[in-house]
C-alpha cells in the first residue's frame, strides 16, 4: 500500500480565553494560527492532512475550522471562557463522526492526533474523562498537550495532565510550537502508518521545559 493513500487526522483545541488576553499572548496566538493556515492551505498538505480547530466562545465552544473546510479565517479574539470540558466533548464528537465517514469511504488513516494549546486554566472539570465512551476514544489518539505559560495548571486539568503531562512552552515561543507541529506532521505523512514515530527530545529542548 502506498503511503500517499493514508491520511492524518488532527483535532486541535486552541485556548483563546480572556486569560490569554490578560497574559498578553493574543497576538502570538493569532500569528500561530496564521502560520498554521499558510501550511494547511497547501494543496498537497490538504490531500494528506485533515485538520479541525476548536476555540472557546462565551459559554460554549466554537469551531474555527472543521475537517471539511479547506480554508479558515485565522484572526481571532481572546475573550472566551476557558471551558475545556465542553471543548473536548465537542472535539471528540466531531472527530468520531469524521473518522466514521473516512472509514465508510475506505480511507486508510494514521493514528489520529489530538493537540491542546492551553493557558492552564479551565473553569469546568473534565467530566468527559469520566465518560467510558469518550475515554475509549481518547486512548486511541496520539495526544500533544501544551501550556502557553508556566504560571499555573488548574486542578480541573489534572485528569488530562495524568493521562499525558502538559509540555510547557518556554518564553511563550508559539512560532517554535508551529514549526515543531509542521515538522512532525510532514514527517508522519512521509512514512507508512506501520512505522512508529519517536519523540525527539533534542527538537524540544530549546523551547519546551523538559
Amino acid at each position: 500500500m502506498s503511503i500517499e493513500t493514508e491520511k492524518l487526522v488532527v483535532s486541535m483545541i486552541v485556548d483563546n480565553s480572556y486569560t490569554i488576553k490578560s497574559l498578553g499572548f493574543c497576538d502570538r496566538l493569532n500569528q500561530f494560527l496564521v502560520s498554521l493556515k499558510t501550511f494547511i492551505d497547501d494543496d498537497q498538505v490538504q490531500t494528506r492532512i485533515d485538520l479541525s480547530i476548536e476555540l472557546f466562545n462565551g459559554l460554549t465552544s466554537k469551531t474555527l475550522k472543521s475537517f471539511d473546510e479547506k480554508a479558515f479565517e485565522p484572526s481571532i479574539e481572546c475573550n472566551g471562557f476557558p471551558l475545556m470540558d465542553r471543548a473536548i466533548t465537542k472535539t471528540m464528537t466531531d472527530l468520531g463522526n469524521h473518522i466514521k465517514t473516512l472509514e465508510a469511504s475506505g480511507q486508510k488513516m494514521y493514528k489520529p492526533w489530538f493537540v491542546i494549546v492551553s493557558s492552564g486554566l479551565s473553569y469546568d472539570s473534565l467530566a468527559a474523562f469520566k465518560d467510558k465512551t469518550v475515554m475509549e476514544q481518547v486512548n486511541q489518539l496520539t495526544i500533544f498537550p501544551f501550556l502557553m505559560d508556566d504560571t499555573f495548571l488548574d486542578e480541573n486539568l489534572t485528569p488530562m495532565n495524568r493521562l499525558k503531562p502538559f509540555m510547557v512552552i518556554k518564553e511563550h515561543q508559539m512560532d517554535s510550537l508551529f514549526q515543531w507541529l509542521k515538522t512532525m506532521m510532514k514527517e508522519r505523512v512521509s512514512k507508512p502508518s506501520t512505522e512508529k514515530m519517536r519523540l525527539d527530545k533534542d527538537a524540544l529542548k530549546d523551547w519546551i521545559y523538559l
Side-chain angles (χ1 to χ4, degrees):
M1 180 182 64
S2 170
I3 63 172
E4 279 74 23
T5 65
E6 297 182 284
K7 188 178 285 280
L8 176 62
V9 178
V10 181
S11 288
M12 185 178 296
I13 295 176
V14 175
D15 185 336
N16 65 317
S17 66
Y18 70 88
T19 309
I20 297 300
K21 183 177 181 179
S22 67
L23 291 170
F25 301 158
C26 200
D27 287 345
R28 293 174 188 247
L29 191 62
N30 271 286
Q31 185 54 54
F32 167 77
L33 291 171
V34 169
S35 299
L36 193 60
K37 172 181 168 54
T38 301
F39 172 62
I40 290 295
D41 278 351
D42 182 272
D43 289 339
Q44 288 186 322
V45 172
Q46 289 189 1
T47 62
R48 302 302 308 284
I49 299 173
D50 284 359
L51 173 70
S52 76
I53 305 173
E54 198 74 13
L55 304 174
F56 299 136
N57 183 40
L59 297 177
T60 62
S61 65
K62 173 185 178 181
T63 302
L64 178 66
K65 181 189 179 301
S66 68
F67 290 115
D68 298 327
E69 291 176 320
K70 291 186 176 182
F72 69 97
E73 175 52 58
S75 179
I76 63 171
E77 295 183 359
C78 297
N79 56 10
F81 288 98
L83 299 170
M84 186 61 73
D85 181 66
R86 300 182 192 190
I88 289 176
T89 299
K90 175 66 163 52
T91 298
M92 290 300 102
T93 298
D94 291 347
L95 175 60
N97 290 337
H98 188 62
I99 289 175
K100 287 179 181 177
T101 299
L102 293 177
E103 288 176 337
S105 69
Q107 174 66 56
K108 302 296 183 181
M109 287 173 280
Y110 297 93
K111 186 176 182 179
W113 288 12
F114 181 28
V115 180
I116 296 177
V117 183
S118 173
S119 65
L121 183 65
S122 179
Y123 279 179
D124 53 356
S125 60
L126 299 189
F129 276 57
K130 298 178 182 179
D131 186 302
K132 182 180 178 181
T133 301
V134 172
M135 285 310 299
E136 287 177 350
Q137 185 180 9
V138 168
N139 288 329
Q140 299 300 313
L141 307 176
T142 297
I143 304 174
F144 297 111
F146 296 94
L147 291 181
M148 283 182 276
D149 188 64
D150 62 354
T151 303
F152 46 74
L153 177 59
D154 197 290
E155 183 179 350
N156 285 329
L157 294 177
T158 298
M160 171 60 75
N161 198 49
R162 285 178 182 155
L163 178 68
K164 186 76 172 182
F166 280 93
M167 293 180 279
V168 182
I169 302 171
K170 290 182 181 178
E171 300 173 353
H172 327 122
Q173 297 181 60
M174 295 300 292
D175 183 61
S176 295
L177 170 60
F178 163 71
Q179 294 296 338
W180 183 82
L181 286 171
K182 174 184 174 180
T183 299
M184 289 288 287
M185 286 188 281
K186 291 177 72 172
E187 182 180 349
R188 174 67 283 184
V189 299
S190 72
K191 301 175 181 179
S193 57
T194 52
E195 185 175 340
K196 292 184 178 180
M197 287 183 63
R198 296 183 181 276
L199 192 62
D200 183 4
K201 289 188 177 181
D202 285 340
L204 297 171
K205 65 182 181 180
D206 291 335
W207 61 282
I208 291 289
Y209 290 109
L210 299 175

